[in-house]
Amino acid sequence: MSTCTPATTLDFDTTSPAAVRAAIRSGAHLGFTNHLARGFVQGNLMIVPQAQAEDFATYCALNPRALPVLGRSRPGEPFIPELGADLDLRTDVGGYTVFRDGEPVDTPRSIAELWRDDLVAFVLGCSFSFEGVLQRHGVRLRHLDEGNVSAMYVTSVPTAEAGPFGGPLVVSMRALRARDAIRAITISQHYPMFHGEPVHIGTPALIGIDDLADSYGGHGLKELHPDELPVFWACGATAQLAARRARLPLCITHHKAHMVVTDLPVRP
Amino acid sequence: MSTCTPATTLDFDTTSPAAVRAAIRSGAHLGFTNHLARGFVQGNLMIVPQAQAEDFATYCALNPRALPVLGRSRPGEPFIPELGADLDLRTDVGGYTVFRDGEPVDTPRSIAELWRDDLVAFVLGCSFSFEGVLQRHGVRLRHLDEGNVSAMYVTSVPTAEAGPFGGPLVVSMRALRARDAIRAITISQHYPMFHGEPVHIGTPALIGIDDLADSYGGHGLKELHPDELPVFWACGATAQLAARRARLPLCITHHKAHMVVTDLPVRP
């Protein structure tokens, strides 16, 4: 499996979501999705058993900045037609992580054989969706220039609990020059379904991040240049961490930066 | 003269602009204006001879972030009725600084005896106008809590030149906690006539400010708490510095934080 290489297989920005999904489904594209289908919404995938689905929906509703719900499947259906007519959540995400009792046990490229009649899929907003908007407004996203993704961090900020779900807020970090940070804040506030404006800027320790080098999952751009500020947005990975803490018997998520690519256009 | 004491004579926030102007005119109020008539626009005063007025107007137009023009008088008239029916710019500003050939020569409380038939008054937007809006949105402005004003700094950022006018951008600085900084950015962008969103956040040296203790004019809140970021907005004092550099034979401005209090409501 080589799902962690930067996206180079497909054209930057102009590929249609259906073409991206087809390339992923066929195995032609193996990389991150953040460079792809830039004008369209991407989302976090969270699949939980029906027994935990209502508590999870409540958890999302209580923490809308981190967990804006873009779509939810009916129990047993691996489809959310509102997000993509041909979208099959079992095969169209570039990588999955399977958790059992809170522990990661596999990272397959398809979950067709794991699908069950009692599973419910949620797709949650992702900050990848506004990165194209930021770039069109002249914001330099160095992690994209370097073929990387934004790093994620576990903070000391608690989320509101629901049933077995709770725990700390996870954030994504972008290293931005001051003018770009200001511009990114003014733009991202208009996209509440992709986490809205940042939750923090500047000193990481103030939100419980002791070392930028120690990112959640270990990947992403983690070093700041002297003229850059770390800017932190609430992140959908908050849900993954909550599901792990809840020790769900089964939980399936997208793997790292391999997101659900939807047909929803990003409002300019 | 005691024009530099914090405002305590009048009630916080609820005084009408006409009442503030009457109190200033009669000598009942001697302090800064930033605490007063909080729902109404305040402005910088710049009075220049007619011979330099067109160049100055062009300078403002070329640098709208720092120098948004709220009003301009006809030559020889010390009134701008659009900003206040009873406003008399010779007596209704709490303090004036008189510059001759670029040097400050006096700080009178009235300029009635200095007024000439060839003088033109400009009133320029001031960030005091949005401070009330920020507070209503829950942003803590510590300088106001401490009875102070925001500090100003001369930067290394050049302005666009017009005739004899040019020189560095002057900024105002507010010490804000990260969440308040983010909120202040998202709010102030909606007020372009009061300088809009900040021009810088974080490391002062990146815009040529070597020492926060060394503020323009020496006053204002200059020390940061460990959990605060310095946030910098373009400032109307840019005009004062440009007029000094231009060595105008005569130029009269408001003195420090004694602004023109207008009848224009601040849009919520």
Side-chain angles (χ1 to χ4, degrees):
Chain A
M1 194 180 71
S2 62
T3 52
C4 295
T5 47
T8 52
T9 326
L10 295 176
D11 285 340
F12 178 90
D13 206 2
T14 57
T15 322
S16 78
V20 172
R21 291 194 298 264
I24 291 169
R25 198 182 305 142
S26 71
H29 175 69
L30 301 174
F32 293 159
T33 56
N34 58 333
H35 283 81
L36 302 176
R38 299 297 299 287
F40 295 88
V41 173
Q42 300 194 16
N44 297 271
L45 179 64
M46 278 292 296
I47 299 172
V48 299
Q50 190 175 358
Q52 283 87 36
E54 288 315 308
D55 279 340
F56 183 70
T58 302
Y59 183 62
C60 293
L62 292 177
N63 299 283
R65 190 78 77 90
L67 308 174
V69 178
L70 300 176
R72 173 181 175 172
S73 78
R74 294 167 186 274
E77 291 192 7
F79 313 112
I80 306 179
E82 298 78 11
L83 299 184
D86 68 319
L87 172 65
D88 187 331
L89 292 166
R90 299 169 297 187
T91 55
D92 292 3
V93 177
Y96 299 84
T97 303
V98 180
F99 297 90
R100 292 192 188 276
D101 300 318
E103 294 303 319
V105 295
D106 197 10
T107 55
R109 292 203 64 250
S110 162
I111 55 167
E113 295 185 2
L114 293 172
W115 192 260
R116 303 191 323 211
D117 283 349
D118 73 326
L119 294 182
V120 179
F122 293 80
V123 176
L124 309 174
C126 169
S127 54
F128 287 1
S129 302
F130 68 69
E131 289 194 333
V133 181
L134 295 181
Q135 289 184 309
R136 280 198 294 277
H137 281 82
V139 173
R140 186 190 175 198
L141 297 175
R142 184 162 60 83
H143 63 279
L144 292 182
D145 293 349
E146 296 179 359
N148 207 338
V149 294
S150 51
M152 297 183 291
Y153 298 92
V154 179
T155 72
S156 58
V157 179
T159 58
E161 297 182 2
F165 298 101
L169 178 72
V170 178
V171 294
S172 65
M173 186 280 283
R174 288 163 185 80
L176 300 177
R177 288 173 296 199
R179 291 199 74 119
D180 283 343
I182 292 165
R183 200 174 293 149
I185 291 168
T186 64
I187 294 167
S188 58
Q189 72 160 317
H190 298 295
Y191 295 92
M193 292 309 284
F194 320 138
H195 308 304
E197 69 271 25
V199 295
H200 188 62
I201 180 170
T203 313
L206 291 173
I207 55 170
I209 302 171
D210 294 327
D211 183 0
L212 284 180
D214 182 24
S215 71
Y216 180 68
H219 65 300
L221 182 147
K222 293 172 279 193
E223 285 101 43
L224 299 177
H225 288 180
D227 62 347
E228 291 174 338
L229 289 159
V231 186
F232 300 92
W233 277 265
C235 180
T238 302
Q240 191 181 103
L241 194 61
R244 294 192 60 176
R245 286 169 42 103
R247 302 194 173 282
L248 299 195
L250 177 64
C251 170
I252 305 173
T253 73
H254 69 278
H255 182 64
K256 292 188 174 176
H258 303 77
M259 314 308 289
V260 180
V261 178
T262 82
D263 286 344
L264 301 179
V266 176
R267 180 172 44 80
Chain B
M1 194 180 72
S2 62
T3 52
C4 294
T5 48
T8 53
T9 326
L10 296 176
D11 285 340
F12 178 89
D13 208 2
T14 57
T15 322
S16 78
V20 172
R21 291 193 297 265
I24 291 169
R25 198 181 305 140
S26 71
H29 175 69
L30 301 174
F32 294 160
T33 57
N34 58 333
H35 283 81
L36 303 175
R38 300 296 300 287
F40 296 87
V41 173
Q42 300 194 16
N44 296 270
L45 178 65
M46 278 291 297
I47 299 172
V48 300
Q50 191 174 357
Q52 283 88 37
E54 287 316 309
D55 278 341
F56 182 71
T58 302
Y59 182 62
C60 293
L62 292 176
N63 298 284
R65 190 76 77 90
L67 308 174
V69 178
L70 300 176
R72 173 182 175 171
S73 76
R74 295 168 186 273
E77 290 191 8
F79 313 113
I80 305 179
E82 298 78 11
L83 300 184
D86 68 319
L87 173 64
D88 187 330
L89 292 166
R90 298 168 298 187
T91 56
D92 292 3
V93 177
Y96 300 85
T97 304
V98 180
F99 297 91
R100 293 191 187 276
D101 301 318
E103 294 304 318
V105 295
D106 197 10
T107 55
R109 294 204 62 248
S110 162
I111 54 167
E113 296 183 2
L114 293 172
W115 193 260
R116 302 189 325 208
D117 283 350
D118 74 323
L119 294 181
V120 179
F122 292 81
V123 175
L124 309 174
C126 170
S127 54
F128 287 2
S129 304
F130 69 68
E131 290 194 333
V133 180
L134 295 181
Q135 289 184 308
R136 280 197 293 277
H137 282 81
V139 174
R140 185 189 175 199
L141 298 175
R142 184 163 59 83
H143 64 279
L144 292 184
D145 292 349
E146 297 179 358
N148 207 338
V149 295
S150 52
M152 299 182 290
Y153 298 92
V154 179
T155 72
S156 59
V157 180
T159 59
E161 298 182 1
F165 298 101
L169 178 71
V170 178
V171 294
S172 64
M173 185 280 282
R174 287 164 187 79
L176 300 177
R177 288 173 295 199
R179 290 198 76 119
D180 284 342
I182 292 165
R183 200 173 293 148
I185 291 169
T186 63
I187 295 167
S188 59
Q189 72 160 315
H190 297 296
Y191 295 90
M193 292 309 283
F194 321 137
H195 308 303
E197 69 270 24
V199 296
H200 189 61
I201 181 171
T203 314
L206 292 171
I207 55 170
I209 301 171
D210 295 326
D211 183 1
L212 283 180
D214 182 25
S215 71
Y216 180 67
H219 65 298
L221 183 147
K222 294 171 279 194
E223 284 100 42
L224 298 177
H225 288 180
D227 63 347
E228 291 173 338
L229 288 160
V231 187
F232 300 91
W233 277 265
C235 180
T238 302
Q240 191 181 104
L241 194 62
R244 294 191 61 174
R245 286 170 42 104
R247 302 194 174 282
L248 300 195
L250 176 65
C251 169
I252 305 172
T253 73
H254 69 280
H255 183 63
K256 292 186 173 175
H258 304 75
M259 315 306 288
V260 180
V261 178
T262 81
D263 286 345
L264 301 179
V266 176
R267 183 173 41 81

